[in-house]
Amino acid sequence: MVKKKTNIGRVWGVIAIVIIIVACLISLVPYLWTALSGFKFRTDILSTTPKIFFTPTLDNFPEAFIHSGFGKFLKNSVVVAVCTTVLCMLVGVPCSYAFSRFYIAGKKQLYFFFLTTRMAPGVAVALPLYLIFAKIGILGSIPAVILAHCTFIASFVIYVMRTFFDDIPRELDNAALVDGYSEWGAFWHVIVPIVTPGIASTALLSFIFSWNEMMFALILGGANAKTLPAAFTGLVTPHGTFWGQLCAAAFVVTLPIIILATFLQKYLIRGLSMGAVKG
Amino acid sequence: MRLSKHKGFNLWTLPAIILTAFVSFLPFLIMIWNSFFDKSYTKISAGTFIGFENYRTAMADPPFLGAIANTAKIIIVALPIEFLLGLFIAVLLSQHMKMRKFVVPIIIIPMIIAPTVVGLIWGLNLNPNYGPVGILFRNMGIAPEGLLASEKTALATIIGIDIWQWTPFMFLLFFAGLCGLPSAPLEAAAVDGASNWQVLKRITLPGLKPIFVTAFLLRFTDVYKIFDVIWITTVGGPGNTTESMSTFGYRANFLYWHIGYGAAVVMVIYLISELASTIFFNLTSGKKMENVM
């Protein structure tokens, strides 16, 4: 009886492992196929019998990044994602600390003010932003894209960082104040060092969100300031002449994110769940 | 406990308030304002006030109603499947913890890469002439012109892509939740000789309930805005079969430049989503909305 049960258990265990591996393959293979196509000659990509083995080429990369302008878009992506992250962290972290700690007149209304901006669909603010940016003359520039990304990333930072600050006992702040630190000093010298993992987690996700965003970059960036993800629009057609270049660019735009996420895995979950799940 | 007293506008919060006011709140107000005017690109500043006329037009506009229906279909079909699949894989993996180191980074690939790349991946893989998956379906006689190009299969394919893209999100949240469950009840159950199924039903799943609510809500507030993948793969076509609320809003605003009408459309989308998530949240928990979002 006991032996039978363990046998069934073992069979289930094997089935479970097979299912997990299949799930991994489903996630990985379509991506891998696309990434590999970035190393294929045109004839191999368009071959009617999909080619797993092929003569690799690096031609698509200079073709995409030097001749087709993806290089400029890549540079835009880096500048936009870095600046958006830094800006949103600089204004967002002190703000969420204040929300976590201080008695602020009108705090509830203020918090609500930040959160309504989260719920609005991107397309809701895109057109008014377009009109505003056109008026002040920054339409189609990198600052326009950075500011647009702040519409959803700033409130994300404020919200998630608050859950990290709320986890830190207030006694620490009070002890620092008793020790003679100013409020700012207590925040900077005592709390910030403790909350560094939270800052890393929030900054990482802010970077990924900005890096991956497409609609704002497409509308507000124009031909000069659009980022890599926005550069793909209109180029994925059934007659796709550019597959090699597109796949090469897709490989380049995804690789840093996959590497970051792999090594900083434990930092992802908290932020992705808006602080609800402590990974 | 010592609490400092601060006015709402102080140096801690002021930069964030100014930034948010400028990039989110002001545009949002402008949009509400615009939605009451008869504005288009040729008369941005000269539109006349027409009250709720744009809203009335929107609610009687078949393509917009179709876009709402399509989005609802995507949500109703994709969300439960993502939820169950994600939970299933998370539970399986929680029993094989040794595998997590290499399984988690691989499984989450679809959700961390740019959505436009997801669109590109499936545009390539589903191509009926040279995409491996597309060829497979063509050989089975399903949509020989391509899954994304056929009116019958395009929306189902978009749903399939969404499931591929976002099941990992559900998985990741549930898996983290499972790892965070206290181990004492599980050990007690094992001592008492409870079966795996009993443990799952009585201890594990109830323990995950708060995460279920969060995951559903976060996914909902994301999927109702679905835009990128559709815009890359089908641009709402063929016909209007894959037009979502966001692609419709985008088209009205940025292709036709119906600024007043587009603003009303976007407002309707916003109100629908606010209403749906508030109802859902009140149904599933006693907490206030702003505590989660």
Side-chain angles (χ1 to χ4, degrees):
Chain A
M1 190 65 191
V2 172
K3 203 180 169 204
K4 197 180 165 195
K5 199 174 177 183
T6 53
N7 271 341
I8 291 173
R10 207 171 295 151
V11 172
W12 268 116
V14 172
I15 292 176
I17 290 174
V18 170
I19 294 174
I20 292 170
I21 291 171
V22 169
C24 288
L25 290 177
I26 291 174
S27 274
L28 183 64
V29 171
Y31 169 73
L32 214 56
W33 183 262
T34 309
L36 281 179
S37 296
F39 297 89
K40 285 181 184 173
F41 286 107
R42 196 176 139 74
T43 47
D44 285 331
I45 297 174
L46 299 182
S47 157
T48 47
T49 44
K51 287 197 171 156
I52 299 172
F53 301 103
F54 56 92
T55 328
T57 169
L58 289 174
D59 288 357
N60 291 320
F61 289 86
E63 198 67 42
F65 287 91
I66 298 167
H67 299 289
S68 300
F70 280 102
K72 187 172 79 180
F73 304 140
L74 177 65
K75 200 190 93 209
N76 292 345
S77 276
V78 174
V79 174
V80 166
V82 169
C83 291
T84 305
T85 307
V86 170
L87 179 62
C88 289
M89 293 301 284
L90 280 179
V91 304
V93 173
C95 179
S96 61
Y97 177 73
F99 273 125
S100 169
R101 289 301 195 268
F102 303 147
Y103 171 81
I104 299 173
K107 178 156 143 181
K108 246 189 143 167
Q109 287 78 354
L110 259 184
Y111 206 52
F112 190 69
F113 163 79
F114 286 116
L115 292 183
T116 42
T117 62
R118 259 208 78 72
M119 282 296 294
V123 70
V125 290
L127 190 103
L129 276 181
Y130 183 97
L131 301 176
I132 295 172
F133 289 166
K135 191 149 259 176
I136 62 177
I138 60 167
L139 188 65
S141 70
I142 299 230
V145 181
I146 293 170
L147 284 173
H149 283 183
C150 290
T151 58
F152 59 102
I153 294 177
S155 54
F156 165 78
V157 168
I158 292 170
Y159 189 83
V160 174
M161 279 312 296
R162 184 182 173 170
T163 69
F164 283 106
F165 286 128
D166 282 348
D167 280 355
I168 300 172
R170 280 151 192 261
E171 284 70 24
L172 277 173
D173 311 53
N174 293 336
L177 293 177
V178 171
D179 285 352
Y181 280 115
S182 64
E183 272 173 357
W184 179 256
F187 166 71
W188 188 247
H189 294 290
V190 179
I191 302 301
V192 167
I194 300 173
V195 86
T196 308
I199 291 179
S201 163
T202 311
L204 170 71
L205 275 169
S206 300
F207 181 88
I208 293 180
F209 290 157
S210 173
W211 181 267
N212 286 348
E213 199 280 335
M214 174 265 243
M215 190 199 288
F216 288 128
L218 179 66
I219 296 168
L220 304 168
N224 282 322
K226 71 177 156 194
T227 58
L228 257 186
F232 292 128
T233 51
L235 296 177
V236 180
T237 61
H239 326 287
T241 350
F242 306 108
W243 278 120
Q245 294 180 40
L246 285 178
C247 293
F251 178 65
V252 170
V253 77
T254 50
L255 194 64
I257 298 297
I258 290 175
I259 292 171
L260 271 178
T262 302
F263 286 102
L264 303 171
Q265 217 189 100
K266 61 174 180 168
Y267 292 122
L268 280 174
I269 293 160
R270 180 81 178 254
L272 278 173
S273 65
M274 297 298 285
V277 181
K278 287 161 193 177
Chain B
M1 196 187 297
R2 187 182 144 174
L3 282 173
S4 332
K5 292 213 168 196
H6 286 270
K7 293 246 171 61
F9 298 91
N10 59 58
L11 282 178
W12 294 88
T13 53
L14 201 57
I17 291 173
I18 293 172
L19 180 68
T20 311
F22 178 64
V23 297
S24 299
F25 213 66
L26 176 66
F28 198 60
L29 292 179
I30 293 178
M31 194 205 58
I32 296 174
W33 175 262
N34 281 346
S35 72
F36 295 109
F37 286 83
D38 163 33
K39 283 190 184 191
S40 60
Y41 196 56
T42 47
K43 40 178 180 173
I44 288 180
S45 46
T48 45
F49 181 82
I50 53 170
F52 282 92
E53 195 53 42
N54 285 326
Y55 290 88
R56 236 168 277 149
T57 314
M59 293 323 291
D61 189 0
F64 181 48
L65 298 179
I68 295 177
N70 286 340
T71 310
K73 281 180 203 160
I74 295 172
I75 295 172
I76 290 167
V77 178
L79 247 62
I81 295 177
E82 288 163 10
F83 184 93
L84 291 175
L85 268 180
L87 180 62
F88 180 58
I89 299 165
V91 169
L92 288 185
L93 188 62
S94 71
Q95 287 160 355
H96 298 273
M97 291 298 274
K98 269 181 268 171
M99 297 173 80
R100 72 181 289 185
K101 269 244 144 51
F102 73 93
V103 167
V104 176
I106 291 176
I107 283 193
I108 64 172
I109 287 175
M111 126 195 149
I112 53 167
I113 59 178
T116 50
V117 174
V118 171
L120 185 138
I121 286 174
W122 287 107
L124 177 66
N125 278 277
L126 290 174
N127 187 290
N129 297 318
Y130 45 81
V133 185
I135 290 173
L136 201 72
F137 275 95
R138 198 189 58 184
N139 290 344
M140 291 192 302
I142 302 170
E145 70 271 47
L147 286 172
L148 287 162
S150 158
E151 290 199 6
K152 286 193 193 111
T153 54
L155 187 64
T157 309
I158 293 290
I159 292 173
I161 296 174
D162 197 73
I163 292 169
W164 181 80
Q165 192 182 4
W166 292 110
T167 299
F169 176 76
M170 295 290 194
F171 157 79
L172 192 65
L173 257 56
F174 297 154
F175 184 64
L178 285 168
C179 295
L181 286 180
S183 56
L186 296 173
E187 283 156 15
V191 170
D192 290 346
S195 71
N196 281 346
W197 174 245
Q198 281 173 316
V199 171
L200 188 68
K201 205 173 119 189
R202 311 253 159 173
I203 302 174
T204 314
L205 295 184
L208 282 180
K209 199 194 160 203
I211 298 179
F212 289 160
V213 177
T214 308
F216 232 101
L217 208 57
L218 286 173
R219 210 34 226 122
F220 172 78
T221 53
D222 214 33
V223 73
Y224 88 87
K225 306 176 199 171
I226 183 168
F227 177 80
D228 295 23
V229 169
I230 297 177
W231 204 249
I232 291 283
T233 53
T234 66
V235 207
N240 290 325
T241 46
T242 59
E243 187 89 304
S244 73
M245 297 194 294
S246 275
T247 59
F248 184 88
Y250 184 94
R251 209 183 296 280
N253 279 302
F254 291 103
L255 294 182
Y256 306 142
W257 295 98
H258 295 156
I259 293 168
Y261 180 64
V265 161
V266 171
M267 253 333 266
V268 172
I269 299 172
Y270 175 69
L271 292 174
I272 291 175
S273 70
E274 280 278 278
L275 195 70
S277 42
T278 310
I279 291 173
F280 171 75
F281 202 73
N282 286 337
L283 284 180
T284 50
S285 113
K287 279 193 287 179
K288 282 262 154 53
M289 181 76 192
E290 54 259 35
N291 292 339
V292 162
M293 284 316 297

